[in-house]
């Protein structure tokens, strides 16, 4: 099964790049955000054929009971608040009839490695602005499933895969809680270490 690893930044998969090259696994660094992800992945899929796309990266968690560094698999990701406001009411793009905001992971027909299937399932939201204001975070926690994670690319990744009709899955490592911005509380090193360990185990288990 030909796999493409997709990450927003080289920083997130730097530890695994020599490993991927050794095993001749393609990888794509798209750049940060929905626009860069959709464009870069669309270009790649126009010139190469894959049987599975795997998006990996770090994310913020709305669930403060999670341990920083935890790995999760995102089963559905959506562009957050894609639609219109009508005074105090938000109208989703689906209600407006102009498109959709939520996109699911699509599993391939073959069985996936345990290092993926044993991860906790969560929902994701994809944002242009990561949340760091107490009032907006409080509102979000009332609206969202507590298990939700936040990234800047996930929904665009699933959207691009859906349009190209390619199975796609997403794994995130929790680097921080969604709270008033305080980088001293983050643990990006442990998140990256766990993420890259998972990525390499996925490739090895897939090949065995």
């Amino acid at each position: 099964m030909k796999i493409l690893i997709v990450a927003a930044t080289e920083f997130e998969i730097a530890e695994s790049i020599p490993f991927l090259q050794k095993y001749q696994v393609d990888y794509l660094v798209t750049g940060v955000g929905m626009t860069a992800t959709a464009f870069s992945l669309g270009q790649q899929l126009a010139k190469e054929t894959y049987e599975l796309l795997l998006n990996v990266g770090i994310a913020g968690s709305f669930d403060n009971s999670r341990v920083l560094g935890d790995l999760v698999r995102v089963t559905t990701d959506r562009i957050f608040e894609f639609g219109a406001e009508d005074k105090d009411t938000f109208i989703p793009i689906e209600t407006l009839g102009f498109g959709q905001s939520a996109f699911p992971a699509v599993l391939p027909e073959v069985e996936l490695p345990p290092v993926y299937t044993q991860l906790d399932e969560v929902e994701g939201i994809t944002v242009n602005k990561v949340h760091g204001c107490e009032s907006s975070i409080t509102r979000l926690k009332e609206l969202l499933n507590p298990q939700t994670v936040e990234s800047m690319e996930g929904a665009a990744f699933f959207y691009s895969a859906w349009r190209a009709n390619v199975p796609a899955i997403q794994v995130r490592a929790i680097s921080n809680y969604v709270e008033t911005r305080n980088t001293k509380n983050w643990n990006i090193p442990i998140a990256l270490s766990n993420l890259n360990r998972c990525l390499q185990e996925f490739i090895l288990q897939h090949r065995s």
Side-chain angles (χ1 to χ4, degrees):
M1 183 167 62
K2 190 175 180 182
I3 299 174
L4 175 67
I5 307 303
V6 181
T9 65
E10 186 172 313
F11 171 70
E12 289 168 293
I13 59 169
E15 182 182 327
S16 294
I17 288 177
F19 176 91
L20 297 173
Q21 292 172 336
K22 175 183 176 180
Y23 286 97
Q24 298 182 315
V25 177
D26 289 357
Y27 66 91
L28 175 68
V29 175
T30 62
V32 174
M34 287 182 273
T35 303
T37 297
F39 179 78
S40 296
L41 184 52
Q43 281 197 313
Q44 183 68 17
L45 295 178
K47 62 185 180 182
E48 294 285 344
T49 300
Y50 297 96
E51 295 166 280
L52 177 66
L53 309 176
L54 170 57
N55 180 215
V56 295
I58 57 177
S61 174
F62 287 91
D63 181 2
N64 286 28
S65 68
R66 283 206 175 276
V67 176
L68 295 184
D70 273 0
L71 297 167
V72 296
R73 53 176 169 144
V74 180
T75 56
T76 301
D77 210 317
R78 62 187 172 98
I79 305 169
F80 182 65
E81 291 197 334
F82 182 30
E85 284 186 330
D86 182 4
K87 299 184 176 65
D88 294 331
T89 301
F90 173 72
I91 308 172
I93 197 72
E94 290 86 349
T95 302
L96 293 171
F98 297 139
Q100 69 184 84
S101 60
F103 306 94
V106 177
L107 304 182
E109 293 182 1
V110 299
E111 185 175 351
L112 290 172
V115 71
Y116 170 78
T117 58
Q118 292 174 1
L119 296 177
D120 288 348
E121 296 183 356
V122 300
E123 297 175 358
I125 60 168
T126 299
V127 297
N128 287 316
K129 175 185 69 178
V130 294
H131 291 90
C133 172
E134 186 173 349
S135 59
S136 63
I137 293 168
T138 298
R139 182 177 69 88
L140 281 172
K141 288 185 174 180
E142 294 173 351
L143 294 173
L144 302 174
N145 183 313
Q147 298 297 316
T148 300
V149 299
E150 176 183 75
S151 78
M152 302 182 81
E153 297 85 21
F157 166 77
F158 280 156
Y159 169 80
S160 299
W162 169 61
R163 291 302 304 265
N165 195 31
V166 183
I169 57 176
Q170 179 184 170
V171 173
R172 294 281 169 174
I174 305 305
S175 59
N176 61 281
Y177 303 119
V178 181
E179 59 186 2
T180 302
R181 188 174 178 84
N182 182 356
T183 57
K184 293 180 180 179
N185 290 342
W186 299 3
N187 197 336
I188 292 178
I190 189 64
L192 292 179
S193 176
N194 290 347
L195 181 69
N196 282 274
R197 174 185 52 79
C198 175
L199 173 56
Q200 293 174 34
E201 287 183 12
F202 183 96
I203 298 301
L204 290 174
Q205 289 179 8
H206 163 68
R207 291 173 64 91
S208 63

